[in-house]
Every structure is written in C-alpha cells, then in structure tokens.
Amino acid sequence: MPLLARSIQTPLHIDVRRGAVADLGRILADSRISAGGDVAVVVGPGLGEQVVNLIRPTLGSADVYTTTGGTLDAALELSGKLRARRYDAVVGIGGGTTVDVAKYAANRWGLPMISVATSLGNDGIASPVASLIHDGIKGSYGVHIPFGVIVDLDFVENGPERVSRGGVGDVISNISALADWELAREVRGEPVDGLAASLARMGAEAVLTMPGDMSDDAFVTVLAEALISSGLAMAVCGSSRPSSGGCHEIMHAIDSLFPGTASHGELAGLGALFCTFLRGDERRFAQMSECLARHQLPRVPADVDLDADQFVEAVEFAPRTRPDRYTILEHLAMGPDEIRRKLAEYVEAVADR
C-alpha cells in the first residue's frame, strides 16, 4: 500500500449516539467544511437511502449519487461526476464500501468528506485508507482522513448485525498488528510511533474486555469509538501499520484467492488469532479466542468454509500482499508443510478453549 500522508489532524466533528445523523445539516453548515452548501451525498444500497430520505430537508440543494460494488472503477466514475459540478464537500452514507468509494472520490479533488456510518464492519469509517477492488483484487489507497465522522446507533441497530460484529474482529486484530510492528522494530529497526500505537491499542483493549454485545448501546459505542481511534492511529503515523500486520496479510490473501469468503472484519479477526498463536502468546491467544467466540466470529478456517488446503495456500501467499511489511509470517517464513502442521495445532488449541 502506498505510504499515507502523515497528518495529526483529527476530524472536526465526531459524534457517536442515537439520533446523531439529525445534526448532519448543522455540521455541513460549518464554513470549514462547506462554504456555500453545495454538497454531494453518496449512498449505497440499503440503509444509506433511508438516511438520505430522513435528513433530506437538512441537505438543501445537495445532489445524491448511488454507488455499488466498492470497486476502483466505481470510485473513478463517482470522481468524474464530482468533477462535473463545483462541490464544497462530499458526504458518504452507508457501510464500509460506500464510505471508501466516497473517500477516494473526494480525495481526488481535495474535497472535505464526512463519513456517516450505518454499520461498524471495519475501521474504514475514519481511516486515511480506501479499500477498493481492482481487477478482482482488493487494494488499499491512501486518502485524506474524513473531516467528520457520524455513527448513529439507531441505524447501526437496524443494519445487518453480522456486518457490525465483524468490526470486533477488525479492532482486536490491532493487538496482533502492534505485536508485528514491535517485531519489526526488534528485527529490522523499524521505527514505532508511540502515539499511533497507543491509539490503536486503546480501542482494541476496550473491545477485548468489554462485556455486552451488539444489542447493548454501551458496547456498540465503545466499538464505534475504537474503530475511529484505529483510523486516527493510521493518520498519525502515515501508514496502516498500527492496524494491519500478518492478520491483514492473511485477510487480503483470502480475499484474493477465495473472494467472497467472509467480511473484512471476520477475516482480520481470524488472521489475528492465528498469528497470535504463531507467536506463542498464550495469554493474548486466550483473550482473543474468548472475545471472538463471545461475538460469534470465526476462529478456524472451517468457520468461513475454507478447508485446510485453502487456508495453507492463503497463509503461504499472504506475505506477497504486503511485500514491504515485516510480520510474524515473514519472520517464520514457513513452507506449506510447516503451515499445515501449525494449523493442525492451532485448530486443536482453539477447540480446547
């Protein structure tokens, strides 16, 4: 992934609560975001359109564009539409793919972007990264961090619960990513940004130990804030390092080799648990395994309908998804036979939990 522009600028507005989306009009009236009220609103299928219908009276003369697919082509098509008129800002309303398309298109023309999340599937709601599919492969593209982030718990509650549960996997994968970052410092002298690491760790630790589930406002609020903190961590250090290690290499490999297997967060959590096992960190392994099980997230390949051969292939391929990144996978440099042996031990260890 290309190096992100290092920035310690935080969003001008962060709001996580019920009814938060009703304040969108007031946020857009902030002259730092929209001087003239000419706004492009980007929605995806599902709740995005419902949100627009609810807040349309506050949007003034805003143009509404619908996007689907989460592809680079979709983002470029939207970018062309934004070029056709002079806009002050872009609002992305929906799940992760819709927000990522809006972020990329807004970034192309240097437009402020407001992220309105209707689900909590991953940390893309506030990150300086847009994950988009190009030629069948999901890639990561550096973009400007959103100027505002709104998470309305009413819409999260009414959205697909499985999608938002995936955000738990994405957040706790920070624990594994940070361990990989520390390994890279020990082995290769790679610098570690302490503030970025703290932001990524803070949210992960909170979600890891927080009781409750997606039916509990207190838990959902903590999850949303953790995902936002993860995005800020990436903005602070100028890279996805605080939130992406071997866990995400495995996720990207599965996405490439076996597309449609599971969501970003589900695969990130599975990859993080496997990488933690490879490190021999029994305490963290037990914590993460219990958390994933509590939130009904996959822990072994069979949970996402992958057999042992497919998972071995994905783990072997994983380092090629991030050639510049040093993680436990690069450190161990396992061949297929060793991966297969470790996988059998891993599955047995998970079964014992």
Side-chain angles (χ1 to χ4, degrees):
M1 187 189 74
L3 186 68
L4 308 181
R6 180 184 174 92
S7 170
I8 60 172
Q9 178 178 344
T10 59
L12 297 173
H13 187 94
I14 296 176
D15 200 353
V16 181
R17 60 184 171 87
R18 290 188 179 273
V21 77
D23 283 339
L24 180 59
R26 179 177 60 81
I27 296 167
L28 292 173
D30 187 325
S31 60
R32 293 169 295 179
I33 296 174
S34 175
D38 292 321
V39 177
V41 178
V42 182
V43 301
L47 288 178
E49 294 181 2
Q50 294 181 36
V51 177
V52 169
N53 291 334
L54 176 68
I55 63 176
R56 190 175 290 278
T58 71
L59 296 177
S61 60
D63 292 330
V64 178
Y65 298 102
T66 301
T67 184
T68 59
T71 64
L72 180 60
D73 286 342
L76 292 172
E77 180 182 353
L78 175 62
S79 177
K81 293 176 181 177
L82 297 182
R83 181 67 166 171
R85 178 182 163 188
R86 190 182 186 91
Y87 290 107
D88 293 325
V90 176
V91 180
I93 303 177
T97 56
T98 301
V99 169
D100 280 347
V101 167
K103 280 195 296 186
Y104 184 91
N107 187 77
R108 290 268 292 181
W109 307 119
L111 295 173
M113 186 269 180
I114 306 295
S115 171
V116 182
T118 59
S119 64
L120 299 174
N122 57 67
D123 57 20
I125 60 175
S127 76
V129 178
S131 295
L132 302 169
I133 300 170
H134 181 53
D135 290 338
I137 298 174
K138 183 173 287 187
S140 299
Y141 302 86
V143 297
H144 198 287
I145 192 169
F147 273 47
V149 182
I150 298 174
V151 180
D152 192 317
L153 301 187
D154 290 322
F155 288 97
V156 172
E157 178 182 74
N158 291 322
E161 182 179 328
R162 179 184 173 185
V163 174
S164 290
R165 281 205 316 265
V168 174
D170 202 25
V171 165
I172 69 168
S173 75
N174 288 2
I175 299 292
S176 178
L178 290 168
D180 280 335
W181 204 5
E182 187 59 38
L183 177 65
R185 171 159 66 180
E186 293 172 1
V187 176
R188 302 203 308 187
E190 183 176 327
V192 172
D193 187 308
L195 175 58
S198 295
L199 284 168
R201 193 183 309 279
M202 174 179 62
E205 295 285 5
V207 170
L208 195 63
T209 57
M210 178 82 176
D213 55 26
M214 296 306 299
S215 66
D216 178 1
D217 277 10
F219 176 80
V220 177
T221 299
V222 167
L223 174 59
E225 291 173 345
L227 291 168
I228 293 169
S229 293
S230 186
L232 295 180
M234 291 184 251
V236 165
C237 74
S239 121
S240 62
R241 213 24 164 143
S243 306
S244 175
C247 49
H248 279 59
E249 289 183 335
I250 291 174
M251 181 270 292
H252 285 300
I254 294 174
D255 269 348
S256 297
L257 297 172
F258 312 107
T261 296
S263 73
H264 176 114
E266 289 173 323
L267 295 178
L270 170 60
L273 188 62
F274 182 68
C275 288
T276 301
F277 174 80
L278 293 178
R279 278 187 214 95
D281 189 338
E282 295 182 5
R283 181 180 70 88
R284 283 298 195 193
F285 177 77
Q287 283 183 318
M288 293 170 68
S289 182
E290 191 278 331
C291 180
L292 292 174
R294 186 168 73 250
H295 293 287
Q296 304 171 53
L297 289 166
R299 295 187 295 167
V300 296
D303 291 340
V304 292
D305 295 326
L306 291 179
D307 60 31
D309 289 340
Q310 290 171 318
F311 193 75
V312 168
E313 183 181 356
V315 173
E316 186 182 18
F317 180 78
R320 282 179 266 177
T321 67
R322 291 289 184 273
D324 61 332
R325 193 145 294 184
Y326 192 82
T327 77
I328 189 64
L329 300 179
E330 286 80 7
H331 186 68
L332 296 177
M334 300 178 293
D337 291 341
E338 179 66 5
I339 297 172
R340 191 178 305 278
R341 185 178 68 81
K342 288 291 187 182
L343 175 59
E345 294 174 0
Y346 167 77
V347 171
E348 183 176 350
V350 171
D352 290 339
R353 293 289 168 188

